[in-house]
Amino acid sequence: MAPDGGNGGNGLAGDEKRKLLQEALRTQGKLIDSELQLELQAQGAGIDPAQKQAIEDQLSQVREQIDRLSATINTLRARISEEWTGEAEDLIPQLKDANERIQDRIREIDRTAATAQKVSQILELAVSVVGLVESVLP
Amino acid sequence: MRRPSILLTLILFLPWGCASLDPQPFQSFEQGAEKLSQSLTDVEALVVDETKQRELGEVTADPALLTGLRLEFGDPAFVWSYPAAGDGGGLLFPTLERRRRAAQELNAAFVDYAQLLTQLVAAGETTQAQVDQQAGEINSEARSLIDRLGADVPSDVTAFLSTAVVEGFKAFTDHRRREVLRATLAEQQPVVETFAQMGQTLTEDLANDLQAEYLTSFRQLQTSLVAAAPEARQPIVQQVLALNDQIGKNLDLLAQLHETYGSLPRAHAALGRSLESGRPTLAEIEQFVADATHLVTLYENLKQAPAPTSGTTTATTPATTPGTTTGG
């Protein structure tokens, strides 16, 4: 139960992990919104089979990303107070920069008019967030 | 270990150099810490139950996860805890349980410390042996808290009451010199700030947990809504609104708890200032009364907060892959 050495998850490192968690939760919210849009599109009348298949494919990708992001969010929640390795400490400046870029990206996506493009952009963001969370977990 | 609050009815006037001490600021500090304790316990219990029920299904589906539920024992033999996150097999419930117990120990340390201060300034005698005993209990609670939080504790924090602070309180019991108590409180101030910060961090982590649980429940309701016939959708939308009300109120309460933790260092610093001037100012007394009243209101609001409902009563829980969750 006692700390086993290292700089710990307190202070700057802990704050950046928490900010990353908040950004991951925001991204997951956007994915859930995308899932709803695609599900309703798939139910729409007058869609030809090719369009429906494309929607189903994108829906499958969104669901996969939701599951992956959920898993990384839960792991990050559980480990938010754990020790960081020396190597992970070096990630702090990159994390700060990444958190700001994620915020900017979400705002930019919200301004995008086309739904199809928005879903693709949210998927790209989710992939990058999952990668970022996995990189900071001990 | 808790002791009943001490009721003061008399103040004895002592010679100059060990002048009478107004117990009101110390009683207010104690009341604030006690109300905080119960409030946080009520809120955290809600989140833990939600997570426990969801992860019960995951362990049922994958018995290998059961290792995450095996308790660990410490020294003395009655010390127990859930395993650390890395050993939890991916389960979040053990982490939340450890966090909840850490918050209880944090609040117990604050309450017992506030009671120690109230005893010190109360009429009558407090012996050095009593100070030693109570300080030992407070530091035991702090050690347990530090073990539970592990890495989230600054490396220079090893005890709630340092040896120097305990000796200062003991010296105060000899001659009740105001300057001795003021200097000791000043030395203790940074530690109070550190532990209050821990409380704020715990509420922030809990807020993140509430958000994650909300997204899980919201997604389940969303799935149900899309699958439902139009005439059957209204009740599901009402469940979404009820979920929003529940989470919103809990987050608002956590925000108030966060602020209350932040107020403890200010209240503690005011104790020292009250000793500098010889008597607390009327404004300081009024502020303490206002803080205590606010905490009573907070506690009453928490008792009236709606109990959490499951994410849905009609949704079909999406199939989950063992070791992962759907929707966060």
Side-chain angles (χ1 to χ4, degrees):
Chain A
M1 282 188 269
D4 57 356
N7 292 327
N10 57 324
L12 186 60
D15 287 345
E16 290 309 317
K17 280 195 277 189
R18 288 179 177 88
K19 284 179 186 172
L20 179 58
L21 175 60
Q22 287 160 11
E23 295 305 330
L25 287 168
R26 290 178 65 193
T27 303
Q28 187 178 44
K30 293 294 180 188
L31 279 174
I32 291 172
D33 291 344
S34 297
E35 185 184 33
L36 176 63
Q37 292 171 22
L38 290 169
E39 284 175 338
L40 294 175
Q41 281 182 38
Q43 287 183 351
I47 305 176
D48 64 46
Q51 273 183 310
K52 189 173 175 67
Q53 185 59 50
I55 293 171
E56 294 286 350
D57 289 344
Q58 199 169 37
L59 186 56
S60 175
Q61 291 179 51
V62 168
R63 286 175 174 157
E64 180 186 338
Q65 282 307 315
I66 289 175
D67 287 345
R68 286 189 62 193
L69 193 51
S70 294
T72 54
I73 282 172
N74 282 345
T75 305
L76 185 55
R77 285 167 64 193
R79 295 190 182 177
I80 205 107
S81 300
E82 282 191 1
E83 297 285 352
W84 279 47
T85 63
E87 293 79 13
E89 283 288 332
D90 295 337
L91 283 173
I92 292 175
Q94 298 174 47
L95 256 190
K96 290 179 70 176
D97 181 57
N99 283 333
E100 289 176 12
R101 283 190 281 111
I102 291 170
Q103 285 187 43
D104 291 342
R105 188 77 181 109
I106 290 178
R107 279 193 288 268
E108 184 182 330
I109 288 171
D110 280 340
R111 288 195 296 268
T112 304
T115 299
Q117 185 181 14
K118 186 180 292 188
V119 171
S120 296
Q121 290 174 353
I122 290 171
L123 273 173
E124 282 179 26
L125 178 67
V127 169
S128 67
V129 170
V130 168
L132 190 62
V133 173
E134 290 174 347
S135 72
V136 303
L137 292 175
Chain B
M1 186 179 296
R2 301 283 185 89
R3 287 169 294 282
S5 297
I6 297 171
L7 298 179
L8 301 180
T9 57
L10 292 175
I11 298 176
L12 299 178
F13 289 92
L14 302 174
W16 178 254
C18 46
S20 62
L21 296 168
D22 190 336
Q24 179 62 42
F26 296 85
Q27 288 176 311
S28 296
F29 183 71
E30 178 188 353
Q31 288 165 6
E34 285 183 341
K35 292 295 186 266
L36 186 65
S37 179
Q38 185 58 49
S39 298
L40 185 59
T41 299
D42 287 342
V43 174
E44 286 201 322
L46 300 176
V47 179
V48 169
D49 287 343
E50 288 275 354
T51 307
K52 186 195 297 184
Q53 290 305 312
R54 191 184 72 248
E55 294 189 341
L56 183 152
E58 294 180 17
V59 177
T60 303
D62 183 5
L65 295 176
L66 191 63
T67 54
L69 297 180
R70 183 179 59 77
L71 297 179
E72 294 177 346
F73 305 107
D75 179 29
F78 45 77
V79 173
W80 66 275
S81 71
Y82 276 95
D87 304 329
L91 296 176
L92 188 61
F93 165 68
T95 297
L96 291 182
E97 267 297 302
R98 288 172 66 95
R99 190 175 294 157
R100 184 173 71 89
R101 286 178 63 86
Q104 286 180 327
E105 284 156 352
L106 173 65
N107 293 335
F110 268 123
V111 168
D112 290 347
Y113 174 58
Q115 289 179 346
L116 171 62
L117 294 180
T118 306
Q119 273 184 280
L120 282 171
V121 301
E125 293 182 0
T126 301
T127 67
Q128 294 196 1
Q130 286 173 319
V131 172
D132 272 332
Q133 180 192 351
Q134 291 174 40
E137 291 177 7
I138 292 168
N139 280 336
S140 177
E141 286 158 352
R143 271 196 300 275
S144 185
L145 158 70
I146 289 169
D147 281 347
R148 288 190 200 282
L149 290 182
D152 242 3
V153 175
S155 57
D156 58 344
V157 175
T158 56
F160 194 92
L161 297 173
S162 66
T163 302
V165 166
V166 174
E167 291 302 313
F169 287 146
K170 287 162 67 174
F172 176 73
T173 63
D174 275 342
H175 304 292
R176 297 182 65 81
R177 290 188 59 211
R178 185 184 298 268
E179 174 55 30
V180 171
L181 183 58
R182 189 203 64 76
T184 306
L185 289 173
E187 182 155 358
Q188 177 64 8
Q189 180 68 23
V191 177
V192 170
E193 291 170 1
T194 297
F195 278 85
Q197 177 61 49
M198 287 186 211
Q200 290 189 307
T201 301
L202 282 173
T203 57
E204 290 165 11
D205 288 343
L206 192 57
N208 283 329
D209 292 337
L210 277 176
Q211 291 179 30
E213 293 292 336
Y214 169 79
L215 287 175
T216 299
S217 298
F218 183 91
R219 191 175 176 229
Q220 289 177 346
L221 289 169
Q222 176 177 291
T223 301
S224 297
L225 184 70
V226 171
E231 60 272 16
R233 288 177 178 171
Q234 186 169 346
I236 300 173
V237 177
Q238 285 175 337
Q239 287 185 61
V240 171
L241 293 175
L243 176 69
N244 288 351
D245 284 344
Q246 177 199 106
I247 297 297
K249 283 178 183 172
N250 283 332
L251 285 174
D252 288 344
L253 289 170
L254 281 174
Q256 292 181 56
L257 279 168
H258 187 274
E259 182 183 333
T260 303
Y261 273 122
S263 73
L264 288 176
R266 292 193 295 273
H268 189 264
L271 298 177
R273 286 197 300 275
S274 75
L275 294 168
E276 282 175 0
S277 60
R279 62 182 64 242
T281 65
L282 179 60
E284 287 166 347
I285 293 174
E286 288 175 341
Q287 182 59 50
F288 277 121
V289 172
D291 287 344
T293 304
H294 171 70
L295 284 165
V296 170
T297 303
L298 173 62
Y299 177 58
E300 291 302 317
N301 288 341
L302 275 166
K303 286 201 298 183
Q304 293 170 15
T309 57
S310 59
T312 176
T313 57
T314 58
T316 300
T317 304
T320 58
T321 302
T324 64
T325 57
T326 302

